[in-house]
Amino acid sequence: MSLAHALFYGVELHFMGLVIAIDGPAGAGKSTIARRLAERLGFTYIDSGAMYRAVALWALQREIDASDVHRVTQLAEAAEITLGAQIHLNGEDVTELIRAADVAAAASRVAIIPGVRRALVEKQRALGQEGNVVMEGRDIGTVVFPAAQLKIFLDAAPHERVKRRVTETPGAHERTVAGQIADRDARDRSRNESPLTQAPDAVYLDSTRLSLAEVEEEILKLVRARMTNGKEFH
Ligand code: DC
């Protein structure tokens, strides 16, 4: 188990094997918040969506359609994906490539395939097994780490999620982005295998009217509450 500590409200806290799971729809701010939180706590940040994007990119490069369940599953099983400041797929830096809109759309298609999910969930569990991780995605609190000590379901109104994506994507058009997000949300929520849903024990956080700093503060309050009410993280 890994041990991390953070100076937190003036108190030195020690964490052992803690998993913070952040799930929610596209554009809710999960990545930014998860990264900031990990930095603040001295944890490892794990972007599970980047793995689905990497598999989708590889399928696109090989011209394998997402409907070819067998071959896409083979890619997911064979893919060597490393996460960090840069994301590598089979040794190639794909950090920028996986952010393209066509890769995002393909990612939500390959994410429907049970074999792909099985392969990637296994990789995610291996990455998180040491603990002291902030992992974000769609099924982290429900499937990947159902025993995570803190689960957040981070949401925001659709118009706000579209606005945020448009702001962070140069040249993006609001109507196009709205369509892309609506399609992805529909696929992510309606698939049979591990659909996007709030875990019963997740804390629902609506970030529509909150700044990044406010969302971060809310989550840090939850971390502190869990640390001080007898549910210490070890
Ligand atoms: O978080 P993101 O936008 O990078 O995710 C890309 C796609 O991957 C998303 O549309 C659904 C899928 N995904 C998933 O099914 N499960 C996860 N844990 C993370 C992402």
Side-chain angles (χ1 to χ4, degrees):
M1 252 184 206
S2 76
L3 178 71
H5 56 93
L7 195 61
F8 202 54
Y9 297 96
V11 179
E12 176 100 344
L13 294 183
H14 293 270
F15 306 101
M16 277 174 72
L18 169 63
V19 175
I20 300 179
I22 304 183
D23 291 302
K30 300 185 300 295
S31 305
T32 316
I33 284 298
R35 196 177 288 116
R36 280 174 68 142
L37 213 54
E39 209 168 283
R40 178 78 191 265
L41 297 170
F43 283 19
T44 304
Y45 161 61
I46 300 173
D47 172 4
S48 68
M51 293 184 161
Y52 290 92
R53 286 171 182 260
V55 171
L57 172 68
W58 199 11
L60 287 171
Q61 287 172 338
R62 301 271 306 266
E63 296 184 8
I64 298 172
D65 193 81
S67 62
D68 192 340
V69 171
H70 184 66
R71 290 180 74 202
V72 181
T73 299
Q74 282 180 333
L75 293 187
E77 286 167 352
E80 283 177 24
I81 303 164
T82 54
L83 305 179
Q86 263 74 42
I87 291 153
H88 289 89
L89 167 67
N90 304 326
E92 186 200 346
D93 186 339
V94 295
T95 316
E96 299 290 323
L97 290 176
I98 60 166
R99 296 295 150 202
D102 61 335
V103 177
S108 77
R109 289 200 184 89
V110 304
I112 291 171
I113 303 171
V116 169
R117 303 205 69 83
R118 216 172 303 122
L120 297 188
V121 165
E122 195 179 306
K123 293 181 204 288
Q124 288 151 17
R125 287 191 180 139
L127 284 174
Q129 68 173 357
E130 290 292 303
N132 290 348
V133 295
V134 183
M135 193 177 293
E136 54 109 347
R138 305 292 188 287
D139 61 340
I140 309 306
T142 50
V143 174
V144 183
F145 284 109
Q149 293 88 339
L150 180 59
K151 301 179 186 178
I152 307 290
F153 191 89
L154 189 61
D155 204 357
H159 68 87
E160 179 63 24
R161 295 193 280 119
V162 170
K163 200 175 94 190
R164 290 177 191 173
R165 271 291 143 89
V166 170
T167 312
E168 69 192 21
T169 321
H173 294 286
E174 196 168 321
R175 273 176 63 181
T176 314
V177 172
Q180 289 164 345
I181 286 191
D183 285 351
R184 225 140 63 80
D185 277 356
R187 266 195 298 274
D188 294 347
R189 289 183 198 272
S190 68
R191 66 181 178 228
N192 291 326
E193 192 84 10
S194 315
L196 169 66
T197 45
Q198 183 183 342
D201 53 347
V203 177
Y204 181 85
L205 204 55
D206 181 353
S207 72
T208 308
R209 288 186 187 78
L210 299 178
S211 67
L212 270 176
E214 286 168 331
V215 175
E216 188 186 5
E217 205 48 39
E218 279 300 312
I219 300 178
L220 286 171
K221 267 192 221 156
L222 292 166
V223 173
R224 185 173 59 160
R226 302 277 162 110
M227 293 287 293
T228 51
N229 72 0
K231 287 190 190 168
E232 286 87 353
F233 296 130
H234 41 91

